Amino acid sequence: MKRKNPIIIPRPEHTLSRSMLSPNAVQALYRLKKQGFTAYLVGGCVRDLMLGREPKDFDLVTDATPGQVKRLFRNCRLVGRRFRLAHLHFEDEIIEVATFRAPEPDESAEVESLPSTATTADHGVSKPARPPRHLKSDEGVVLRDNIFGTPAQDALRRDFTVNAMYYDIGDFSLIDYCEGLDDLKRGVIRTIGPPAERFTEDPVRMLRAVRFAAMLGFIIEDATWSALVELSATITRGAPPRLYDEFLKLFLCGEGEKCYQLLRGSGLLKALLPGFNDWLERESEGFPHTRTSASLDWVDSRIQEGGKVAPQLLLALMFGEYLEEQGKGFRQSGTPLQQSLDMAVAGLLGELAGSVLIPYKVGMQLREILSSQHRFRKTAGKRPLSFISRPSFIESMDYFRFISATTGEGIESLRWWERFVMENPLPPESKMEKEQDTMTPGIPAKRSRRRRRPKKGLPQQSP
Ligand code: ATP
Ligand code: MG
């Protein structure tokens, strides 16, 4: 599989054309090229365009270092410690620009850095030591991957063969170092190099393999799948905030139900959510738990229709039945209803804290969705206006909508609330806040240009 010389497919022999790219990506590629740098389109966008799919985002790779990219683009921000790269901010998208990486620490590839270990004295003033550019944990997880290299080295550092093809803006050719095109044609997800090694370096790649297979309708190649199953328990070595991001991507990619089946089949779900997984494997009152699967189908349909699902709603749908049952258990031992639900939610967040780190705010919104359900039954109740202006009302109603569609209960109440919302539209401000909250991960929210007005009565700070 590894080849020194890539397969080069000239423009007339492939279907990818410049007109399919985002104009911002084209502009950035040309600016880099004009300054004498090599610049390629890479990753998911090349893969998706070759498959006739719309790419989620455009990623570039170049031999310019992050510092050089920053000097070239005014809209550039450098991000990431583990994997330093440049983000180019445009009005409605962010283009990611990475620098070619080398596989192993190689001092000759150092371009911009000071020595990584010692403190340097400069005119008698001590500067703090620069962190190492490459770092591995005792378990072999790569904690820093910032050694720059060549296009060939960079292709081999990528995760899967289908994600490692370059599109060269210089001559519009496709450059394939890893036989990705063959795997793309066959519909196969295969790691570049030994799968066990690649999953040990970065366990999050196991979740990515599942997502790409589900999203593209591909199969995971045998050796890659065996390594994934064998190493599934090590998924918790991934950093919890990254695992949360990847968790959302898995279930909000439009093929969440397929992801869920692959996660169960591989042991990854058991490793991430042992308590929930045990519960799934037990029956409740003689019935298997099928609501999780049905709720993910519901999420998939909404996403495939171009809709959005907020993280708190996804969590409520996925874990609702589990949490209700846990809550019931607490109630039987005398705890009041709301407190029982709170305890169940706290238990789930605690179970997840060591792996998938759910932000506090999202946890609170999940609790709000579940604990407000009883309110939908009381249409004649007090102050429905104050209920519909609660921050998680829309998601709470979506949850109620799902439950009434699956159980056939509460349909009349749902109609009543839908009518009430139509007749009493939410003020635009709360809608705006909601849009920010419900952004799909990976797609940046547009920032508001509004500035805060200074508080009355406070003295203005002079410049
Ligand atoms: P999508 O954007 O559709 O989710 P993608 O393949 O573009 O899929 P990104 O997270 O945008 O995924 O990453 C861009 C590219 O960077 C990938 O295609 C892959 O080549 C490389 N990459 C991303 N994450 C990893 C990783 N954990 N290990 C190795 N390479 C990676
Ligand atoms: Mg991408």
Side-chain angles (χ1 to χ4, degrees):
M1 145 151 4
K2 289 188 190 179
R3 43 172 69 237
K4 271 211 181 94
N5 298 317
I7 300 172
I8 297 184
I9 300 132
R11 174 66 191 96
E13 291 169 33
H14 67 77
T15 51
L16 203 160
S17 93
R18 223 177 353 163
S19 63
M20 299 167 166
L21 314 186
S22 114
N24 295 324
V26 175
Q27 187 202 329
L29 284 164
Y30 275 125
R31 173 138 359 144
L32 284 161
K33 185 173 170 283
K34 220 168 130 194
Q35 296 299 316
F37 296 111
T38 303
Y40 299 149
L41 197 68
V42 67
C45 49
V46 178
R47 175 199 71 213
D48 290 345
L49 290 171
M50 292 298 290
L51 291 170
R53 296 169 59 97
E54 194 184 333
K56 199 182 86 211
D57 49 28
F58 289 88
D59 301 306
L60 313 188
V61 65
T62 176
D63 55 355
T65 62
Q68 287 170 319
V69 176
K70 181 147 177 64
R71 285 192 282 280
L72 216 55
F73 294 91
R74 270 195 314 169
N75 56 345
C76 171
R77 264 186 242 150
L78 300 186
V79 297
R81 257 156 43 110
R82 191 185 70 86
F83 195 90
R84 188 89 172 141
L85 45 79
H87 274 176
L88 306 183
H89 288 254
F90 295 92
E91 203 184 324
D92 51 0
E93 70 175 332
I94 292 177
I95 306 269
E96 212 166 83
V97 186
T99 304
F100 295 124
R101 291 301 197 271
E104 294 296 332
D106 173 2
E107 260 130 56
S108 64
E110 296 278 305
V111 200
E112 294 188 302
S113 72
L114 293 166
S116 64
T117 44
T119 303
T120 53
D122 186 6
H123 304 294
V125 182
S126 283
K127 281 188 185 168
R130 192 184 262 269
R133 294 200 150 208
H134 198 279
L135 194 64
K136 262 187 183 178
S137 75
D138 293 344
E139 290 153 335
V141 177
V142 174
L143 304 174
R144 292 259 161 85
D145 190 357
N146 288 318
I147 308 272
F148 303 137
T150 64
Q153 288 174 316
D154 184 81
L156 300 177
R157 293 295 299 145
R158 292 182 178 270
D159 48 7
F160 305 106
T161 59
V162 293
N163 284 351
M165 289 176 287
Y166 298 133
Y167 172 75
D168 184 350
I169 199 69
D171 61 4
F172 314 125
S173 63
L174 270 185
I175 306 173
D176 182 7
Y177 281 95
C178 307
E179 294 170 18
L181 202 55
D182 273 358
D183 282 341
L184 203 66
K185 284 181 189 151
R186 283 197 294 254
V188 172
I189 298 296
R190 182 197 309 272
T191 55
I192 298 169
E197 221 172 84
R198 304 309 312 282
F199 290 147
T200 302
E201 279 175 0
D202 181 3
V204 174
R205 288 178 188 146
M206 295 191 272
L207 299 183
R208 289 174 60 85
V210 164
R211 174 160 61 93
F212 294 131
M215 231 169 65
L216 305 173
F218 281 20
I219 56 150
I220 300 178
E221 173 266 340
D222 283 351
T224 302
W225 176 255
S226 306
L228 193 155
V229 171
E230 200 169 307
L231 292 172
S232 57
T234 66
I235 188 63
T236 50
R237 290 179 188 165
R242 256 187 100 203
L243 289 173
Y244 174 66
D245 279 352
E246 201 50 56
F247 180 88
L248 292 185
K249 285 186 189 170
L250 279 160
F251 295 112
L252 297 177
C253 74
E255 293 293 351
E257 208 282 330
K258 268 195 213 161
C259 288
Y260 167 66
Q261 297 303 345
L262 286 168
L263 291 176
R264 282 192 81 178
S266 59
L268 284 167
L269 195 77
K270 184 177 162 122
L272 286 171
L273 288 154
F276 177 61
N277 190 73
D278 281 354
W279 172 82
L280 282 171
E281 281 172 10
R282 281 195 311 268
E283 296 195 332
S284 291
E285 291 158 12
F287 291 101
H289 301 115
T290 52
R291 202 164 103 190
T292 306
S293 197
S295 67
L296 290 171
D297 280 334
W298 186 88
V299 171
D300 288 345
S301 321
R302 179 174 272 203
I303 293 195
Q304 286 165 16
E305 286 159 10
K308 284 184 181 142
V309 175
Q312 61 271 26
L313 175 60
L314 169 76
L315 296 173
L317 288 165
M318 270 189 86
F319 300 117
E321 190 184 5
Y322 174 57
L323 293 171
E324 281 161 20
E325 260 193 52
Q326 308 266 306
K328 238 187 241 168
F330 294 126
R331 269 216 313 284
Q332 276 161 7
S333 51
T335 313
L337 174 79
Q338 288 300 324
Q339 210 179 323
S340 305
L341 262 176
D342 287 356
M343 283 163 72
V345 172
L348 175 75
L349 299 185
E351 181 185 340
L352 280 165
S355 54
V356 179
L357 189 65
I358 294 178
Y360 177 77
K361 187 176 169 196
V362 176
M364 290 305 99
Q365 290 163 330
L366 160 67
R367 173 174 154 258
E368 164 83 13
I369 292 173
L370 296 177
S371 62
S372 64
Q373 289 306 303
H374 69 100
R375 183 69 182 78
F376 285 97
R377 307 278 181 176
K378 291 192 276 174
T379 50
K382 271 191 277 171
R383 288 187 294 202
L385 260 181
S386 85
F387 181 47
I388 69 166
S389 38
R390 269 154 75 163
S392 288
F393 173 77
I394 298 282
E395 290 76 29
S396 300
M397 189 157 85
D398 272 338
Y399 184 80
F400 189 70
R401 187 176 283 128
F402 168 76
I403 297 295
S404 78
T406 43
T407 59
E409 286 170 24
I411 293 172
E412 276 311 303
S413 312
L414 178 65
R415 296 281 165 269
W416 190 92
W417 283 102
E418 283 175 341
R419 239 187 352 262
F420 187 78
V421 172
M422 290 275 283
E423 287 159 6
N424 299 277
L426 291 175
E429 231 173 62
S430 53
K431 267 194 204 153
M432 228 169 68
E433 270 169 30
K434 269 182 192 313
E435 263 171 35
Q436 299 283 331
D437 276 0
T438 54
M439 294 307 294
T440 306
I443 301 174
K446 272 198 206 173
R447 274 175 305 135
S448 157
R449 288 177 192 277
R450 224 178 45 186
R451 287 196 179 188
R452 280 204 182 169
R453 245 186 279 151
K455 276 189 190 157
K456 272 189 198 155
L458 286 178
Q460 296 283 306
Q461 203 176 4
S462 49

